Amino acid sequence: MQVEVAYARPDKQQIVAIEVPEGTTAIEAVKLSGITDIFPEIAPDATDMGVFGKVIKDPAGHELREGDRVELYRPLKIDPKQARLNRAKKKA
């Protein structure tokens, strides 16, 4: 079955299409995709993941379906609530 693995940094983005067997989990697809060769900073076992924008609670147990896109998420540099508060303070 065909799935994609996607990762993005501000300076570089990559989507890797791979063929995987039925029953492949999200974390297995990430490891099989070779995306860690392109982005060595990715630690598949410690990175948050999602499928089409919905966070996966257990990537090791989430079986993929045909056409799924596994997305790897970078950690936030600042909490969105704090960023909004900082912008509001600047305007005042």
Side-chain angles (χ1 to χ4, degrees):
M1 92 183 148
Q2 188 80 18
V3 298
E4 296 177 329
V5 177
Y7 184 72
R9 292 190 314 219
D11 63 321
K12 183 178 182 180
Q13 302 83 36
Q14 187 75 40
I15 297 176
V16 178
I18 58 169
E19 189 73 29
V20 296
E22 293 285 333
T24 299
T25 64
I27 202 161
E28 291 170 340
V30 170
K31 292 177 180 178
L32 290 171
S33 72
I35 203 156
T36 55
D37 296 335
I38 301 166
F39 299 100
E41 69 270 19
I42 298 173
D45 297 316
T47 301
D48 290 334
M49 297 179 197
V51 174
F52 291 118
K54 295 194 176 215
V55 176
I56 301 170
K57 300 284 186 208
D58 179 23
H62 182 87
E63 289 189 13
L64 299 174
R65 295 187 296 231
E66 175 72 31
D68 277 353
R69 182 182 64 227
V70 179
E71 300 161 345
L72 302 163
Y73 303 128
R74 293 179 289 128
L76 296 174
K77 291 186 178 185
I78 185 169
D79 178 39
K81 290 180 184 178
Q82 185 62 47
R84 197 165 31 252
L85 181 63
N86 292 349
R87 285 192 305 271
K89 285 181 181 178
K90 281 184 183 179
K91 288 183 181 180

